[in-house]
Amino acid sequence: MQLYTDAATSPDTQHSAAGILLIEDGQQHQSKQRLPISDNHTAEFLAAIAGFKTLLDEYGPDQSVFFYTDSKIVAESVSKAYSKTFAVELQTLLHLQDQCQVVITQWIPESQNHGAHQLAQQGLHLQA
């Protein structure tokens, strides 16, 4: 199972949206959703949380997951299991990841996260 997440935040309004792309056996499941008003870093954590909630709701626990994010702060925080600034969001994310059999988190450049990025942008424009 592959999970790609991204967040988009409007600097003017602080509205945010998540893009979630799940790929299993070549089949894509795409979703986008509104996020609470926040800064972009918080929105990236909230997008990851939304992605894992979607994965668990759609496919159940005990999945093996390759999780891809273009947020260095999300990837590094998961790797260290620590974040001073985003402790609450990180603990929520780690709790969701613990329900999976194994999670491999990988930071990728934005250019490789195009699907989730487009979904987040679409979700942001739906709020306008």
Side-chain angles (χ1 to χ4, degrees), residues 27-49:
Q27 297 291 324
Q28 289 191 9
H29 173 89
Q30 301 178 354
S31 66
K32 50 190 171 270
Q33 59 184 264
R34 292 181 181 187
L35 296 173
I37 291 177
S38 64
D39 63 84
N40 190 255
H41 289 309
T42 303
E44 291 286 357
F45 276 96
L46 296 176
I49 290 165

Side-chain angles (χ1 to χ4, degrees), residues 39-98:
D39 63 84
N40 190 255
H41 289 309
T42 303
E44 291 286 357
F45 276 96
L46 296 176
I49 290 165
F52 274 93
K53 283 182 178 178
T54 300
L55 182 147
L56 292 166
D57 288 346
E58 298 283 327
Y59 299 95
D62 299 323
Q63 299 292 324
S64 295
V65 182
F66 287 97
F67 169 50
Y68 300 98
T69 177
D70 61 14
S71 169
K72 286 187 179 182
I73 194 155
V74 170
E76 290 173 2
S77 296
V78 168
S79 173
K80 295 175 186 174
Y82 175 79
S83 174
K84 181 178 179 181
T85 307
F86 304 102
V88 172
E89 294 85 359
L90 176 61
Q91 289 308 309
T92 302
L93 178 57
L94 293 175
H95 173 73
L96 293 167
Q97 288 184 348
D98 284 346

Side-chain angles (χ1 to χ4, degrees), residues 6-20 31-40 43 116-128:
D6 196 19
T9 302
S10 168
D12 298 332
T13 64
Q14 297 295 291
H15 285 116
S16 297
I20 300 161
S31 66
K32 50 190 171 270
Q33 59 184 264
R34 292 181 181 187
L35 296 173
I37 291 177
S38 64
D39 63 84
N40 190 255
H117 178 76
Q118 285 299 106
L119 290 166
Q121 290 293 325
Q122 291 170 14
L124 191 59
H125 291 296
L126 290 176
Q127 296 182 41

